[in-house]
């Protein structure tokens, strides 16, 4: 076979591969959204979703090692954010959370939960990062991976907005900006 025929076959195989990957991605995305209706991406353009689900109760630890439960925080809106100091998108959205914490910290509970695995992310690394950046919001640690497992955290960052009744109003996978945080706070404050 000459080079032109080989190139033509290679291009055709590549195009078929891309089409197959696109179909597979669309199918898997559709299945995931059906299984996880509370999860959206920041770029969602569909109508506002009003469906809510009860936030699963989980336990996490503060910097002093005291155990807390999400159910103890009912009565106030909650922002539950999962992050790690090694995660570039997490680092990029942190200043946005700090601004919103400064503005709404008395009205909304900010639960900035560090994904502490003891190897890639340690409690010491997380605390050093927070101190170095001058962030003032409280941070918590998922030392047992109870929170990550229960909330299906597969990538970072991930953020859930929970109303005062303990319902997950919206979840975002990936980095979010100040505008989204502000709009969601207005929604969960009722």
């Amino acid at each position: 076979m000459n080079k032109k025929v080989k190139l033509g076959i290679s291009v055709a195989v590549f195009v078929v591969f891309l089409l197959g990957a696109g179909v597979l991605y669309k199918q898997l995305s559709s299945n995931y959204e059906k299984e996880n209706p509370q999860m959206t991406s920041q770029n969602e353009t569909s109508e506002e979703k009003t469906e809510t689900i009860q936030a699963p109760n989980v336990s996490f630890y503060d910097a002093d090692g005291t155990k807390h439960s999400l159910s103890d925080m009912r009565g106030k809106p909650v922002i539950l954010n999962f992050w790690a100091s090694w995660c570039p998108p997490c680092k990029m959205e942190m200043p946005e959370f700090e601004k919103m914490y400064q503005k709404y910290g008395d009205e909304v509970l900010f639960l900035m939960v560090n994904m502490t695995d003891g190897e890639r992310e340690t409690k010491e690394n997380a605390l050093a990062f927070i101190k170095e950046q001058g962030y003032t919001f409280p941070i918590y640690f998922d030392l047992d991976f109870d929170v990550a497992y229960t909330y299906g955290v597969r990538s970072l960052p991930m953020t859930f907005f929970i109303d005062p009744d303990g319902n997950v109003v919206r979840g975002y996978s990936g980095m979010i900006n100040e505008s989204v945080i502000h709009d969601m706070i207005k929604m969960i404050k009722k």
Side-chain angles (χ1 to χ4, degrees):
M1 267 196 252
N2 69 28
K3 288 184 179 184
K4 287 184 180 181
V5 172
K6 286 182 182 179
L7 179 62
I9 291 172
S10 297
V11 168
V13 168
F14 183 70
V15 167
V16 169
F17 172 77
L18 285 178
L19 290 172
V23 169
L24 183 60
Y25 175 79
K26 197 169 195 173
Q27 179 68 30
L28 291 174
S29 295
S30 174
N31 289 345
Y32 181 77
E33 288 172 5
K34 287 176 188 170
E35 293 172 12
N36 300 286
Q38 77 279 13
M39 291 303 300
T40 62
S41 71
Q42 184 175 343
N43 298 325
E44 182 177 88
T45 58
S46 64
E47 293 180 21
E48 288 291 316
K49 294 182 181 182
T50 56
E51 180 182 338
T52 58
I53 60 169
Q54 189 68 38
N57 188 34
V58 288
S59 297
F60 43 87
Y61 301 87
D62 64 21
D64 297 326
T66 304
K67 191 173 187 176
H68 299 272
S69 292
L70 185 59
S71 62
D72 296 338
M73 300 180 181
R74 284 246 169 95
K76 253 189 163 179
V78 173
I79 297 174
L80 176 60
N81 175 265
F82 297 94
W83 67 281
S85 64
W86 52 261
C87 165
C90 300
K91 290 179 180 182
M92 291 172 64
E93 73 178 3
M94 287 285 185
E96 311 294 341
F97 279 108
E98 179 65 22
K99 286 180 200 171
M100 293 293 100
Y101 176 72
Q102 291 298 320
K103 186 171 184 175
Y104 295 106
D106 294 336
E107 304 168 50
V108 177
L109 295 173
F110 285 72
L111 302 181
M112 308 300 283
V113 179
N114 181 262
M115 303 305 297
T116 316
D117 65 7
E119 293 177 19
R120 187 172 187 188
E121 181 75 307
T122 64
K123 189 175 171 181
E124 294 75 24
N125 289 349
L127 289 170
F129 170 75
I130 293 297
K131 183 177 180 181
E132 176 184 296
Q133 297 301 314
Y135 297 134
T136 60
F137 47 71
I139 63 166
Y140 300 91
F141 301 91
D142 186 14
L143 301 174
D144 306 324
F145 288 103
D146 175 46
V147 188
Y149 178 77
T150 302
Y151 279 82
V153 176
R154 293 182 183 97
S155 63
L156 295 176
M158 188 171 278
T159 308
F160 294 90
F161 293 88
I162 303 169
D163 70 17
D165 298 325
N167 297 309
V168 176
V169 175
R170 182 79 51 93
Y172 288 90
S173 180
M175 188 176 82
I176 59 177
N177 61 36
E178 181 180 347
S179 174
V180 171
I181 299 168
H182 183 264
D183 290 347
M184 290 308 305
I185 286 174
K186 287 187 343 190
M187 186 180 288
I188 63 176
K189 280 179 54 178
K190 290 187 175 182

